[in-house]
Amino acid sequence: MAGDDQRALQYEQTLMYGRYTQELGVYAKEEAARLREEGGRRRSVTERSRSLELLEYDKGRCAKCRICTLRCQKFLISRVGEDWIFLILLGLLMALVSWVVDFAIAICLQAQKWMYGGLESNVFLQYLAWVTYPVVLITFSAGFTQILAPQAVGSGIPEMKTILRGVVLKEYLTFKTFVAKVIGLTCALGSGMPLGKEGPFVHIASLCAALLSKFMSLFGGIYENESRNIEMLAAACAVGVGCCFAAPIGGVLFSIEVTSTFFAVRNYWRGFFAATFSAFIFRVLAVWNKDEETITALFKTRFRLDFPFDLQELPAFAVIGIASGFGGALFVYLNRLIVQFIRKQKTINKFLMKKRLLYPALVTLLVSTLTFPPGFGQFMAGKLTQKESLVTLLDNRTWAKQGIAEGFDYIGNSQAWNHPQVNVFVTLVLFIVMKFWMSALATTIPVPCGAFMPVFVIGAAFGRLVGESMAAWFPDGIHSDGTIYPIVPGGYAVVGAAALSGAVTHTVSTAVIVFELTGQISHILPVMIAVILANAVAQSLQPSLYDSIIRIKKLPYLPELGWGHHEKYNIRVEDIMIRDVTYITLNCCYRDLHDVLLAGHLKTLALLESSESMILLGSIERAQLQALLSLQLGRPRRLEYLRDRATAEKKRLSMVSHPGSEDGSQRVNQEVRFQISTEESTFSPTPTPSMKPLKPALKRPSVVDRPTGIPIPTTLRPPQVSRDSSEGPQDHSSSTLKNLFCVNPETEGLENKNVNINIEGTATPEFRSPPKRVRISVVDDFDVDDDMTIREIAEWEENQLDEQVNFDNCKIDPAPFQLVERTSLHKTHTIFSLLGLDHAYVTSIGRLIGVVSLKELRKAIEGSVAVKGVKVRPPLSSFRDSGTSGTSSSNSENEATELHKLWDRHKSMSLPREHLASDSDEKSQ
Amino acid sequence: MAGDDQRALQYEQTLMYGRYTQELGVYAKEEAARLREEGGRRRSVTERSRSLELLEYDKGRCAKCRICTLRCQKFLISRVGEDWIFLILLGLLMALVSWVVDFAIAICLQAQKWMYGGLESNVFLQYLAWVTYPVVLITFSAGFTQILAPQAVGSGIPEMKTILRGVVLKEYLTFKTFVAKVIGLTCALGSGMPLGKEGPFVHIASLCAALLSKFMSLFGGIYENESRNIEMLAAACAVGVGCCFAAPIGGVLFSIEVTSTFFAVRNYWRGFFAATFSAFIFRVLAVWNKDEETITALFKTRFRLDFPFDLQELPAFAVIGIASGFGGALFVYLNRLIVQFIRKQKTINKFLMKKRLLYPALVTLLVSTLTFPPGFGQFMAGKLTQKESLVTLLDNRTWAKQGIAEGFDYIGNSQAWNHPQVNVFVTLVLFIVMKFWMSALATTIPVPCGAFMPVFVIGAAFGRLVGESMAAWFPDGIHSDGTIYPIVPGGYAVVGAAALSGAVTHTVSTAVIVFELTGQISHILPVMIAVILANAVAQSLQPSLYDSIIRIKKLPYLPELGWGHHEKYNIRVEDIMIRDVTYITLNCCYRDLHDVLLAGHLKTLALLESSESMILLGSIERAQLQALLSLQLGRPRRLEYLRDRATAEKKRLSMVSHPGSEDGSQRVNQEVRFQISTEESTFSPTPTPSMKPLKPALKRPSVVDRPTGIPIPTTLRPPQVSRDSSEGPQDHSSSTLKNLFCVNPETEGLENKNVNINIEGTATPEFRSPPKRVRISVVDDFDVDDDMTIREIAEWEENQLDEQVNFDNCKIDPAPFQLVERTSLHKTHTIFSLLGLDHAYVTSIGRLIGVVSLKELRKAIEGSVAVKGVKVRPPLSSFRDSGTSGTSSSNSENEATELHKLWDRHKSMSLPREHLASDSDEKSQ
């Protein structure tokens, strides 16, 4: 089964961050199993409630107590549906996870230090221990994630952004991913590599929310609401950041900035509520564990309150901001460069693919070698963990002139910065430079990891560097009045941390996170100024780290339009739309359906009144059409046909004679065959030359082990055409069907569920799932088939295909989103991102003239931004530049649709309608 | 002209908060004047740049220097268009305004104290001074605002919320309003009444932004972009809060929570940038004025950092939160009750209307009498100003046991709380109770004022009360370990302030504001917990203060759907839509247009292909149709007709004889008449019995003074029908026209500019402005008219009305927003609020079947929320309750549109099209 090839392919795809690859066949099967299970569960719930009712009428007064208990239980279960219970549970769960992960990481790091300390006698052994430990941990983490759930790799914020935009990345929210992410993250961070936990925690919180939602849907149906799920995921992102840093406000804001395009203010409270609760529990756990005396900030600072900074220090803060902006852009660029370099280098790539754990191991080896404390590490405070470095960097003493250090000795770790031979400035510079590229490199390792914390620490070090320089420059402070207020380099570190992390993530809310982390807000103005400057610089140079990853992974995402350059996007929908829309008409026959399904790979198809009038009636999902077609050509119908034929034959024969036994045997024969046909076919389709090659299926052991081939006997259904296409036993042995169940590789598995924003939930869960697979073994199938020969079947199918389609039980979206030709790119973008659309039809007076999807829009935006003036694709050729046209009124004239044009076009398109009616009459005969 | 009546009416409408009332006639005239002026300005700009170009080619090398200067100037002017320059200017301006207002208020308050202190010998004189001063100030403020700009009354946040939703409240953003608001606010706050400056500052900042935008549009065209203006207004709201409290982050968040429904994250940075800059300048001004040594928080606290609170104190904080929730709801309720009580009491209302300054004076008298320090005021710290109260309440010493007060003496004002005879607890309780109703009462005074700060102070007092109680209960703190950590009542005050203000405004971001105000974030968890609890309680009891005001003022606003009760809104668009849509068809004649305009009062009208097909082609603004009609029936056309008739006559005569002189005199006659007809008619239409009575026009002196009656001679245009309806000289002397220029009183003046979200800016500024007024004096006009008699004119008009409408130069919105019948209320609400719609057409396969506007939607939401089960209006009768239907699948079946239905409906509606074509052919003959 060419399993190795598949495996290799899959690894190629998942090497960097784990691109979406789960094979559709496997997915379909799992989905079917899930639906079956759910049905069962729901039934059990209903039964339980029924038993309660029975009980009430059944027993006498003595059972009152029991009834009361049951009622309480019922009440509690009904309350479970409330949002706040869900949010509290989510917060509680995440706080526990965060605390446990932190605890485990601390133990891992302690173990490394202990090993390192124990082997002090032999430097080589010491080095071996120092290096082997993280290599083993990282390799385990990479391997474990790779095997269990490749989707757990990376930060998770880009995926969450995509999911919150309305795109379904199904496997990103499964229990497997959750386990892989938590364990992988713990190991990765336990290795002491410069990796962060924020991004993964956003993902973990979302996983938690999704799983909790699934779990709680056992008690009630509210959790099946999709818009509600999106709201809950948004809250979960806030919880993720909140419980990671014990920063509820910053968490909410950061998650909004990082994941949303448009934010519904009515969801605001959910995030705050859950994040606060989570942060509260997270810190309470620390108190309970006697780590802290009471609830305080994670990296508490003790800067003086009365005079935090002088007004004249502000230029220095501004410098930090601007430099951080450049640094942030450089970090994003470097990170992308490394990923792309490794991807492009075919030889490296091949090598790494085969030994896919080699890359993480090599990177870890390099990084840990350089940080080896007795080696180069001594010049860059290598023996400090990330947390220790941050604590020392935020220290409120001045390092440059050790003499006048303030009262209490903070932790003692600050000594690491003070190398006997090397100046503290050199140590800081080395730390910044080395950590910079190390972090950029380390975040490309395919393990669950984030980049926020490393960047935060680098920023703090840079701020400290500037602060120490300032302190050395102005030993007595800048203030001109009587009192001496020495400069506080720790304050600079706070500013630098916020600025650099803000620049990398393109967020302003890092400022708030910094305040919550340090527990002091006295430096608010410097921090805000630096963060805003850093953002201004970084945003004009590079996309944010998360957007960069989205581009690298080619996730279906809509790029933002640039700021204030709306005039530049002088493109209209008619320039970018695809004019050659594949559609079906109300009076089409099954052959047309078949051809259309073969030709295109769109998720939904337009339904027109007729190809003459082109009036858009609605849209139908591909799966619906496939179901229709398989219903028409499926075995049940063939059997029915056979039976009819047999009856007719019998009648004809009964006119002649009465051979009853023959009829009976035939029926038995049919029944047996029918039983065989009810198996669920799980084989993937073979690619035919006419199509794009499908990505080969990945057969994982767990999947292959299932008894797929064994026919499951079901109760015999009356042999009539099943009206419900999703439940009836289906077999798709038809030769015409075998090519239909392939999807566009680009959109494979990426269902956009918000496509139907304008409609009434036409797609039920059953219809959502891709239809059951077609068998490849067509000829095998024919052998065991009924009395028809292959030629007869082909003939029968031909006849069937000529029948007119009956759309009766088909779910139709009666109002797919429509635009007009003259809608501007800017407006299209706004509508797409506001409503989370995947595609929109372009109509002119109700007539379909084109379709524009996310892809076209993305191309248009990126094309017009990146390659200004260059026509990316032919339809874009009608770029209009309003700047060149003389008067300002010409623009508005352009925008107004002149009616006579409308009218002309209209007349040219309106053909007599009678044709249609007569046509359908003909067909129905 | 019944001026008194008009005045009375206007005052009735503006008594409470100044509802929108500017008369349309005045508005139209001002608008026309504005457009004229703008045209002139733009011309001057173009001329300037042209002169620059000329200069370059004109002079030799000696002028290079000048050219360089001019180029620099040009460059600078071009940079002015950048967003950040605008934001910096806005921030700077607002910081200055805020500082100046604060300074003036401080002087006012000092003056009162000085007067009070100077008259210490005589208590009666002292009382008189204490009472008269605020009464005079408030009365002046009320009178001044009333006269200059009644729109300046009140907080301004509700109006900004409405404006940001896309509704245009034009006069709310004028220079007059700015002046009235700033001066009115200064006087109102200078009186020492329990009023706040936050709400008004949001409004002032928006005014600033609007004016600045208008000013800067002199340099470039970017500022005319509407979506940009909305973005800038959103940033301005943040600036308003930011510079009021020197709280940039809290300002941004608060303004988002208070004004937005959906927030575009891409605008986030604007708010942060401007608010930070503004807060920075605001605080720098304080440093420059030697008020502060460096930039610090406004109400700096000095709580201990190492152990801010014990975990066991959290229940007390939770109690504060819950109690604040109830308190906040009570405040909103009380405030509304007072307004409604005064409105309902006819006699009081009449009395107050006549002496409209009496109400403010009475309220002020009452409040200031009660706070008179030697009187009752002594028991409630009456002599402290709002700011002083807050500072003392946030004091980090404990009042209950004065002995162990910490080191420094804070301000000395704390003594006011410590009455020799009365317990501090009694003082606090009295303060809370009295201030509570005083604030609720004071905020109903028609002066520019907010309620945030008074509520904040009351909350702080409540927190302090709980804190002092806790301190009295646990004199040595709660902590069980060795060290004694006494309870900090100041921390409780912080929590209480955040909780109560959060409850009243329904925001969570008051927590952030509190941190920024106090400069300490150590109490983050208690504050967050209390704020969230307060919000949970308050939101389930009452709308927010701003939403309450919106309802009181009947601003066009869409209420929020309740949380998590999506199932309840089981209403579809078909239940609430208006089926009787007034529309015009492509082949209608002017008579139809006339009738439609007379019948309805909608802002936009649907344009259908024909009344048989009902296919929606687009929508046209009312003003466009009015312009079309007046063009058809206007004098130019009549003159043309006359000339044509004359020419025909002449030709006929020339066949007979050649009397040349007669022809000449007629032409001269025409020219003279033409000159007369070019005046702009500014009279308001007379209401006819068939319509709702129009609100009589308010003739302000400044308007009446203009020379409206004097005909302005213009150059003679060639007597042909002007193709450009907006520029050509128009006269509307027709009797059939006089009824058309009335609008629905409910939407009077409220243009919804976001109606056209889906289209390409079909409406240019010229078309936006209401058309010029019709004259009332129809008969007078006929007397000076051309050779036609009244009967002839009527005949001619009848003929004109029978012609088919020529839509050629009409701006048509080709894609008004469409919904389908089965769109749920929830989705409709989301789409309306996302896209800021005013109305949407309901179509079925391209055919118009209804229209739903904000009004219907609001009714449906409020109906289904408030009067559950009660059918508010007949179309709502088809409430469906999915809960009662047995299976869960029935719901999804409901939602799927069965095609056969669609198809049946479709067939029944599709009538032969030939009729249409022949119809139009007939008409064009």
Side-chain angles (χ1 to χ4, degrees), chain A residues 246-502:
Chain A
I249 301 172
V252 172
L253 301 185
F254 186 79
S255 74
I256 289 175
E257 280 195 271
V258 152
T259 57
S260 306
T261 315
F262 283 87
F263 186 73
V265 176
R266 63 162 179 257
N267 292 341
Y268 207 53
W269 73 275
R270 279 178 232 274
F272 271 109
F273 182 75
T276 303
F277 190 78
S278 184
F280 169 64
I281 297 291
F282 180 62
R283 295 309 286 158
V284 162
L285 284 171
V287 175
W288 170 79
N289 198 36
K290 304 277 181 208
D291 292 340
E292 305 266 355
E293 216 173 356
T294 186
I295 293 176
T296 50
L298 218 53
F299 296 99
K300 202 162 58 182
T301 54
R302 290 147 191 274
F303 307 141
R304 57 163 188 265
L305 284 177
D306 47 343
F307 194 89
F309 60 93
D310 194 89
L311 217 55
Q312 288 155 299
E313 293 177 56
L314 282 179
F317 293 123
V319 166
I320 292 180
I322 292 168
S324 295
F326 285 107
L330 185 66
F331 185 87
V332 174
Y333 177 71
L334 200 63
N335 183 280
R336 197 169 57 239
L337 209 68
I338 294 168
V339 173
Q340 282 171 347
F341 175 78
I342 289 165
R343 273 206 188 161
K344 271 183 193 160
Q345 298 294 319
K346 291 269 160 142
T347 49
I348 297 179
N349 206 357
K350 257 187 187 166
F351 184 68
L352 289 176
M353 253 197 316
K354 271 184 193 140
K355 319 262 179 208
R356 64 197 172 281
L357 299 180
L358 199 65
Y359 176 69
L362 278 176
V363 170
T364 315
L365 186 68
L366 177 66
V367 170
S368 53
T369 303
L370 283 171
T371 55
F372 182 53
F376 186 76
Q378 64 183 304
F379 303 113
M380 49 172 285
K383 77 171 178 191
L384 294 185
T385 66
Q386 199 159 271
K387 207 174 166 180
E388 285 165 352
S389 322
L390 190 56
V391 168
T392 52
L393 285 170
L394 298 179
D395 193 359
N396 58 342
R397 289 170 303 174
T398 312
W399 296 345
K401 27 165 208 159
Q402 296 289 332
I404 347 170
E406 279 165 45
F408 44 84
D409 195 311
Y410 208 64
I411 280 184
N413 278 325
S414 317
Q415 283 308 315
W417 296 98
N418 191 25
H419 195 265
Q421 291 123 44
V422 182
N423 197 332
V424 70
F425 293 104
V426 177
T427 317
L428 275 172
V429 169
L430 274 177
F431 179 86
I432 294 164
V433 171
M434 299 302 284
K435 284 278 174 182
F436 194 84
W437 69 260
M438 280 177 185
S439 302
L441 183 64
T443 44
T444 63
I445 300 175
V447 292
C449 66
F452 187 88
M453 216 50 200
V455 165
F456 196 81
V457 173
I458 295 166
F462 176 67
R464 171 61 82 163
L465 180 66
V466 175
E468 293 290 344
S469 314
M470 287 290 287
W473 194 7
F474 304 101
D476 295 330
I478 300 180
H479 200 60
S480 50
D481 286 9
T483 21
I484 287 178
Y485 293 112
I487 281 169
V488 184
Y492 286 78
V494 168
V495 172
L500 192 63
S501 49

Side-chain angles (χ1 to χ4, degrees), chain A residues 519-589:
Chain A
Q520 281 203 302
I521 204 171
S522 50
H523 279 77
I524 179 161
L525 270 178
V527 167
M528 289 304 297
I529 289 169
V531 166
I532 286 171
L533 286 175
N535 262 288
V537 173
Q539 294 194 18
S540 59
L541 294 174
Q542 283 283 324
S544 83
L545 182 64
Y546 307 122
D547 285 339
S548 164
I549 293 174
I550 281 178
R551 286 191 201 174
I552 289 171
K553 290 180 150 189
K554 295 201 175 69
L555 291 171
Y557 189 68
L558 198 56
E560 271 299 304
L561 290 176
W563 289 347
H565 297 290
H566 298 169
E567 320 79 44
K568 280 189 191 157
Y569 304 107
N570 197 20
I571 305 171
R572 305 207 181 284
V573 162
E574 57 185 333
D575 302 329
I576 60 168
M577 71 184 181
I578 293 176
R579 280 162 203 278
D580 182 25
V581 193
T582 49
Y583 58 84
I584 46 171
T585 58
L586 209 50
N587 54 346
C588 69
C589 57

Side-chain angles (χ1 to χ4, degrees), chain A residues 573-635:
Chain A
V573 162
E574 57 185 333
D575 302 329
I576 60 168
M577 71 184 181
I578 293 176
R579 280 162 203 278
D580 182 25
V581 193
T582 49
Y583 58 84
I584 46 171
T585 58
L586 209 50
N587 54 346
C588 69
C589 57
Y590 283 97
R591 189 179 305 285
D592 303 330
L593 219 63
H594 174 245
D595 296 344
V596 162
L597 284 175
L598 262 187
H601 301 285
L602 288 167
K603 272 297 198 190
T604 51
L605 285 157
L607 175 67
L608 304 191
E609 188 201 47
S610 68
S611 50
E612 292 84 28
S613 74
M614 290 295 282
I615 285 184
L616 184 68
L617 295 183
S619 71
I620 306 185
E621 279 187 39
R622 188 186 182 80
Q624 289 277 314
L625 294 179
Q626 287 165 343
L628 272 185
L629 201 53
S630 47
L631 198 67
Q632 179 74 1
L633 299 181
R635 187 175 281 177

Side-chain angles (χ1 to χ4, degrees), chain B residues 347-514:
Chain B
T347 47
I348 297 179
N349 207 357
K350 258 188 186 166
F351 183 67
L352 289 175
M353 252 194 319
K354 272 187 191 138
K355 319 262 179 203
R356 62 198 173 282
L357 298 180
L358 200 64
Y359 176 69
L362 278 176
V363 170
T364 316
L365 186 68
L366 177 65
V367 171
S368 52
T369 302
L370 284 171
T371 55
F372 182 53
F376 187 76
Q378 62 182 305
F379 305 114
M380 49 172 285
K383 76 171 177 189
L384 295 185
T385 66
Q386 200 160 266
K387 206 172 166 181
E388 285 165 351
S389 319
L390 189 56
V391 168
T392 51
L393 286 170
L394 298 178
D395 193 358
N396 58 341
R397 290 172 301 176
T398 311
W399 295 346
K401 26 166 208 156
Q402 295 290 332
I404 346 169
E406 279 166 46
F408 45 86
D409 197 311
Y410 210 63
I411 280 184
N413 278 325
S414 315
Q415 283 308 316
W417 296 98
N418 191 26
H419 194 266
Q421 290 124 44
V422 182
N423 197 331
V424 70
F425 294 104
V426 177
T427 317
L428 275 171
V429 168
L430 274 179
F431 179 86
I432 294 164
V433 171
M434 298 303 283
K435 284 278 174 184
F436 193 84
W437 68 260
M438 280 178 185
S439 302
L441 182 64
T443 45
T444 63
I445 301 176
V447 291
C449 66
F452 186 88
M453 215 51 200
V455 165
F456 196 82
V457 173
I458 295 166
F462 176 67
R464 171 61 81 162
L465 179 65
V466 176
E468 293 290 345
S469 313
M470 288 289 287
W473 194 6
F474 305 101
D476 295 330
I478 300 180
H479 200 59
S480 49
D481 286 8
T483 21
I484 286 178
Y485 293 113
I487 282 168
V488 184
Y492 286 77
V494 167
V495 172
L500 192 62
S501 49
V504 168
T505 56
H506 286 200
T507 55
V508 191
S509 50
T510 50
V512 184
I513 290 180
V514 139

